[in-house]
Amino acid sequence: MKVLIAEDDQDSRELLSWLLQKLGYQVVAAANGKDAWEAYRKGRFRLVISDVLMPEVDGLELCRKIRRHKQSKYTYIIIITALIGKKDYLEGMEAGADDFVTKPFDPDELKARLRVAERIISFQEQVAAAEETKNLGTA
């Protein structure tokens, strides 16, 4: 699975990239939300991991752009941030995030959340395939 990382901190971006590659993901990493949005529009990403506080376009605006973007397949978005409060969490979810991980992140926790993302993406693919089969049968 191809994953887009949007993270302005180079060390965090490299750590996330390394961890995801070690887990078998194809990784595209962007240093800010603007570059991440451009990469998202050009690629086919089912999973995005984004920091909130970034230059140019922040992670919440990136979420909103992804949710407004018309595409056939759902993109699962994990926000990863040092912001820790109910208001921040709710704002991220309202922007369209599916999950929220607090920095500094625990690799095992992130792995668990990635497994959840994979299950949800797989389920959505099964539903879409069933719908397609159903529509072909009625055509």
Side-chain angles (χ1 to χ4, degrees):
M1 180 183 307
K2 204 158 95 172
V3 178
L4 175 62
I5 296 171
E7 171 61 72
D8 63 322
D9 179 74
Q10 184 175 350
D11 291 338
S12 295
R13 189 172 58 249
E14 289 175 0
L15 178 61
L16 277 169
S17 294
W18 175 82
L19 177 62
L20 292 171
Q21 288 171 357
K22 185 177 169 190
L23 294 171
Y25 293 97
Q26 293 176 314
V27 176
V28 174
N32 61 58
K34 180 182 176 198
D35 291 347
W37 174 240
E38 292 302 317
Y40 180 82
R41 288 185 20 215
K42 293 176 185 172
R44 293 195 182 333
F45 297 95
R46 299 301 309 276
L47 179 58
V48 173
I49 299 174
S50 178
D51 187 15
V52 171
L53 300 175
M54 292 185 293
E56 311 249 2
V57 173
D58 70 25
L60 299 181
E61 184 57 28
L62 178 61
C63 277
R64 290 182 196 101
K65 286 176 174 276
I66 290 170
R67 293 296 177 236
R68 287 191 302 259
H69 186 64
K70 301 297 179 208
Q71 66 174 18
S72 60
K73 295 186 176 185
Y74 187 80
T75 301
Y76 193 91
I77 303 171
I78 298 174
I79 294 290
I80 186 164
T81 184
L83 300 175
I84 53 163
K86 181 178 177 181
K87 177 184 173 284
D88 301 311
Y89 174 81
L90 294 174
E91 190 175 9
M93 293 306 200
E94 183 65 31
D98 295 292
D99 205 348
F100 200 91
V101 176
T102 304
K103 285 182 183 180
F105 68 89
D106 177 291
D108 291 328
E109 178 186 355
L110 183 59
K111 285 187 234 177
R113 292 176 187 269
L114 290 167
R115 282 193 296 274
V116 170
E118 288 177 5
R119 284 196 302 262
I120 290 172
I121 291 167
S122 175
F123 176 72
Q124 289 169 335
E125 289 173 351
Q126 291 171 16
V127 168
E131 281 293 317
E132 187 175 317
T133 300
K134 179 181 169 186
N135 290 339
L136 289 175
T138 60

